[in-house]
Amino acid sequence: MNTNTVTHSPSPLSPLPAPDFDTTVRVGCSLNYEATGAAWLLLALKPRLDRNHAVIFEALTLGKNLPAEEFTDDHGNLVHRVTLAPGSNFIRHDAIVSVSSQPDNHDLPSCAPLSPGELPTGLLRYTLPSRYCDSDKLTNFAWDKFGQVEHGLPRVMAISQWVHDHIEYRYFSGRPDLSAWDVLQRGYGVCRDFAHLVVALNRAFNIPARYVTGHLPDIGVPDPDNHMDFHAYGEVYLGGHWFTTDARFHVPRIGRIKISCGQDAVDSAFSTIYGGATLSYFQVWAYQVPRGTVGVGDPLDFSKRLDNQTTVLTDVPR
């Protein structure tokens, strides 16, 4: 098992200092792929470098020393290209990560959006339609619903509120072929669908918006069903900073750990399969732990879980 220590550095797009990290989270996943012929994977499992979290330790196991290459894609995501062996291929990622106990966007200034003529050129692609965020089909709907709302964060919040209130969340209803327009027509979906719709509606107003996947522990939020999975949400670029927008919950959350981002789910899939292979086993974990009590590779022990309750506990009492 290879264990890497990753140091935190701020995003080059944000001059703001990192928040105070006073909370510890364990995140990871176990996957098994059955290969029946020549097969390869693109895996995006490691957290990105991000100002909102710091990876203390992480370990990635790729089968029995499967041939693999790590690279950074053009969205800044850490990706592994893996060649699978015939039969079962067990893959596991485990990480201990420090986060802030403060909620989304708590330290970001309220900024006016930049015009397309002012945006950094690398962000212009996040204003355009894409495979799953077909904002061109949603332009009339967006202006009818939100055209009278103040441009910028008020409009972003109005879009999130509307999607939260009018799209039903249904577990296990996700499909890989649905675009934002399709989700609007059928009226329900999973977090992937909420994220695509929010991103597309914001792009209809030339607000750069990107699709994000990552881990979201239940810090300060009881979840009686204990569903742990990769989570998808959106980010919008306002006045030089990326703001989180998550219509699935429409409340600020604590402890997001970003894995990947892009124009839509095509760029941010945790796994992309080439060739003859299927995913036969899938488990994800994301839960708060007492600092210094859990290591990467330890057996999962949810009795040590500090989240899944209304009270927010921190490593250092406030």
Side-chain angles (χ1 to χ4, degrees):
M1 179 180 294
N2 296 322
T3 302
N4 300 316
T5 302
V6 181
T7 56
H8 173 77
S9 61
S11 165
L13 289 175
S14 174
L16 296 175
D20 292 331
F21 298 140
D22 58 359
T23 305
T24 304
V25 177
R26 184 183 189 181
V27 298
C29 62
S30 290
L31 313 169
N32 190 69
Y33 291 88
E34 296 291 336
T36 57
W40 301 262
L41 297 177
L42 294 183
L43 291 173
L45 302 177
K46 285 188 173 184
R48 290 170 54 103
L49 289 177
D50 190 85
R51 67 179 295 271
N52 290 310
H53 64 249
V55 177
I56 303 172
F57 295 104
E58 66 178 336
L60 178 63
T61 303
L62 298 173
K64 297 179 180 178
N65 298 315
L66 293 172
E69 169 193 7
E70 182 178 281
F71 64 95
T72 302
D73 69 12
D74 61 0
H75 295 279
N77 304 316
L78 297 173
V79 182
H80 284 80
R81 180 167 58 181
V82 183
T83 301
L84 296 181
S88 296
N89 295 264
F90 177 77
I91 293 168
R92 188 177 195 271
H93 178 260
D94 198 12
I96 308 298
V97 186
S98 288
V99 298
S100 170
S101 61
Q102 298 300 308
D104 298 329
N105 307 325
H106 74 277
D107 62 344
L108 296 182
S110 181
C111 299
L114 301 177
S115 72
E118 299 170 307
L119 286 171
T121 54
L123 301 187
L124 288 171
R125 60 180 165 177
Y126 297 119
T127 66
L128 302 175
S130 61
R131 165 66 180 86
Y132 292 112
C133 298
D134 41 359
S135 52
D136 50 336
K137 294 183 180 179
L138 293 166
T139 300
N140 291 338
F141 174 85
W143 278 98
D144 287 344
K145 286 290 183 183
F146 312 110
Q148 301 305 311
V149 181
E150 180 185 349
H151 191 44
L153 194 56
R155 182 174 278 161
V156 171
M157 294 300 293
I159 289 172
S160 176
Q161 181 74 69
W162 190 94
V163 174
H164 177 78
D165 292 345
H166 292 84
I167 303 299
E168 177 190 352
Y169 185 84
R170 290 189 191 178
Y171 284 112
F172 310 118
S173 68
R175 282 172 36 189
D177 59 338
L178 297 179
S179 71
W181 170 258
D182 297 327
V183 173
L184 183 64
Q185 303 312 304
R186 79 169 185 166
Y188 65 89
V190 294
C191 61
R192 162 193 171 113
D193 303 310
F194 281 63
H196 281 149
L197 184 53
V198 162
V199 167
L201 289 171
N202 278 287
R203 287 183 190 168
F205 296 101
N206 293 326
I207 297 175
R210 62 189 183 186
Y211 177 95
V212 183
T213 58
H215 293 287
L216 182 60
D218 294 313
I219 300 176
V221 181
D223 180 3
D225 295 322
N226 289 328
H227 289 287
M228 289 189 184
D229 201 345
F230 293 119
H231 184 57
Y233 54 98
E235 289 182 338
V236 294
Y237 192 78
L238 299 173
H241 306 288
W242 286 104
F243 286 74
T244 297
T245 175
D246 187 348
R248 162 70 176 95
F249 300 107
H250 192 64
V251 293
R253 294 291 297 263
I254 296 170
R256 291 181 196 271
I257 297 172
K258 187 190 305 183
I259 295 176
S260 62
C261 66
Q263 289 181 283
D264 55 33
V266 171
D267 301 319
S268 303
F270 75 87
S271 169
T272 302
I273 300 174
Y274 296 88
T278 56
L279 178 63
S280 62
Y281 178 78
F282 177 82
Q283 182 185 23
V284 179
W285 53 89
Y287 61 103
Q288 185 185 355
V289 296
R291 180 170 294 183
T293 65
V294 178
V296 294
D298 288 353
L300 295 178
D301 183 358
F302 294 110
S303 69
K304 295 183 178 180
R305 187 179 183 186
L306 298 180
D307 59 339
N308 197 28
Q309 59 175 316
T310 303
T311 302
V312 178
L313 304 175
T314 62
D315 297 323
V316 179
R318 291 179 291 178

